[in-house]
């Protein structure tokens, strides 16, 4: 038996039966040290109602409720019942191990860690299929598979990005109140983001004059073009001399907000 967070703010009725005579007094003690009394009715039933403010004082953990009654002859009987007080809200953490999924690394491990075994509203522990159903994935461009667990609290899965996906920030989340602990406390929410970019950028290089450079033109050559790579990325340009055996001449340019890039080089030497 459990008393959860919502029940800890409500009245608590404790009842039982006895073969003691009618109108004998049953005394009930809680873990708070407080006691409550009830008279036995003609059928041997008794009950006490614990005020909500007293229920709220019950300490967390396993607690014993004790009931005691004496018959007219003075013989005493004692009964005990153990309850678990659990008003702690269960939480969960989602971790996507790789922060970015790209063409070469399109998979990541996902770790879902519950502080307590997650239960459904039917009072049963969640199956792998039900835990997977808790996960809200903001895009159809990733797929979650191979969800497994060894202890029903820590779950692992594989997240795979679809190839050809343009840059996108994707969130995996679990909603508040979508799962419970064994005591019936509704769980907290959690989320984690991952960046997916499995689409190779394109790049163009503008024509360079008429294809024939004078020494003066070669001394101040502007290489420019456009790309779909993000602003701030680096474009590497390699210039080779088809008539020489020297090392290639390598320069770099930075992609601007509009996708353009340019760099001035001197290849007259």
């Amino acid at each position: 038996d459990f008393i959860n967070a919502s029940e800890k703010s409500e009245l608590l009725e404790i009842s039982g039966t006895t073969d003691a005579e009618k109108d004998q007094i049953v005394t009930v003690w809680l873990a708070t040290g407080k006691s409550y009394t009830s008279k036995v009715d003609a059928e041997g039933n008794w009950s006490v109602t614990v005020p909500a403010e007293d229920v709220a004082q019950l300490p967390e953990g396993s607690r014993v409720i004790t009931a005691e009654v004496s018959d007219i002859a003075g013989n005493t009987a004692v009964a005990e019942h153990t309850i678990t007080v659990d008003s702690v809200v269960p939480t969960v953490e989602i971790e996507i191990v790789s922060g970015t999924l790209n063409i070469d690394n399109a998979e990541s491990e996902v770790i879902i860690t519950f502080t307590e075994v997650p239960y459904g509203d039917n009072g049963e522990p969640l199956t792998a299929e039900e835990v997977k159903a808790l996960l809200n994935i903001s895009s159809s461009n990733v797929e979650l598979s191979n969800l497994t667990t060894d202890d029903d609290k820590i779950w692992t899965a594989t997240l795979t990005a679809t190839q050809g996906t343009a840059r996108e920030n994707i969130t995996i989340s679990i909603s508040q109140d979508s799962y419970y602990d064994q005591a019936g406390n509704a769980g907290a929410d959690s989320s984690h983001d991952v960046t997916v970019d499995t689409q190779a950028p394109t790049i163009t290089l503008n024509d360079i004059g008429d294809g024939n450079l004078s020494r003066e033109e070669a001394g101040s050559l502007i290489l420019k073009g456009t790309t779909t790579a993000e602003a701030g990325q680096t474009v590497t340009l390699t210039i080779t001399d088809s008539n020489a055996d020297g090392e290639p001449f390598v320069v770099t340019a930075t992609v601007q907000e509009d996708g353009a890039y340019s760099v001035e080089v001197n290849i007259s030497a």
Side-chain angles (χ1 to χ4, degrees):
D1 293 343
F2 290 90
I3 294 178
N4 61 32
S6 61
E7 294 166 339
K8 206 173 178 184
S9 61
E10 299 173 351
L11 298 172
L12 175 64
E13 183 175 339
I14 302 170
S15 61
T17 61
T18 177
D19 57 5
E21 298 82 1
K22 181 178 181 297
D23 292 333
Q24 289 301 105
I25 300 298
V26 176
T27 303
V28 178
W29 285 272
L30 291 188
T32 58
K34 292 187 177 182
S35 63
Y36 312 86
T37 59
S38 170
K39 286 185 177 182
V40 179
D41 68 17
E43 285 75 38
N45 301 307
W46 60 267
S47 68
V48 299
T49 299
V50 181
E53 56 268 26
D54 291 353
V55 178
Q57 294 176 12
L58 284 169
E60 297 286 307
S62 180
R63 303 298 168 188
V64 176
I65 298 174
T66 303
E68 182 177 307
V69 66
S70 297
D71 62 16
I72 293 176
N75 300 303
T76 300
V78 176
E80 292 183 342
H81 189 88
T82 301
I83 61 170
T84 299
V85 180
D86 180 357
S87 62
V88 178
V89 173
T91 62
V92 62
E93 180 182 358
I94 301 172
E95 179 188 3
I96 304 172
V97 176
S98 297
T100 301
L101 303 182
N102 55 33
I103 292 174
D104 296 326
N105 298 287
E107 289 187 353
S108 174
E109 182 182 29
V110 179
I111 304 173
I112 306 158
T113 304
F114 293 90
T115 54
E116 303 180 54
V117 174
Y119 281 70
D121 55 12
N122 61 355
E124 296 294 328
L126 296 183
T127 64
E129 182 178 351
E130 290 169 331
V131 170
K132 186 175 182 179
L134 293 180
L135 299 171
N136 308 304
I137 303 177
S138 65
S139 172
S140 60
N141 290 322
V142 292
E143 180 182 2
L144 192 82
S145 60
N146 304 323
L147 182 64
T148 60
T149 183
D150 290 328
D151 61 3
D152 291 330
K153 291 198 298 184
I154 301 175
W155 297 73
T156 59
T158 301
L159 186 69
T160 305
T162 302
Q163 292 293 340
T165 299
R167 187 177 182 87
E168 180 180 8
N169 290 324
I170 295 175
T171 301
I172 298 179
S173 65
I174 291 178
S175 301
Q176 183 176 338
D177 299 342
S178 62
Y179 64 97
Y180 304 84
D181 64 12
Q182 190 176 11
N185 296 300
D189 61 355
S190 180
S191 66
H192 199 128
D193 296 338
V194 62
T195 299
V196 173
D197 187 349
T198 56
Q199 185 178 79
T202 60
I203 189 168
T204 63
L205 178 62
N206 294 355
D207 292 338
I208 303 171
D210 59 5
N212 296 303
L213 300 177
S214 66
R215 178 174 290 276
E216 182 179 354
E217 291 172 327
S220 182
L221 178 64
I222 303 296
L223 301 177
K224 60 184 179 178
T226 59
T227 177
T228 58
E230 298 84 0
Q233 294 297 103
T234 298
V235 176
T236 301
L237 300 108
T238 303
I239 304 168
T240 59
D241 186 346
S242 60
N243 298 316
D245 297 328
E247 291 293 326
F249 186 65
V250 178
V251 293
T252 60
T254 300
V255 180
Q256 304 303 304
E257 291 292 338
D258 61 356
Y261 70 89
S262 67
V263 61
E264 182 177 353
V265 296
N266 180 354
I267 57 173
S268 61

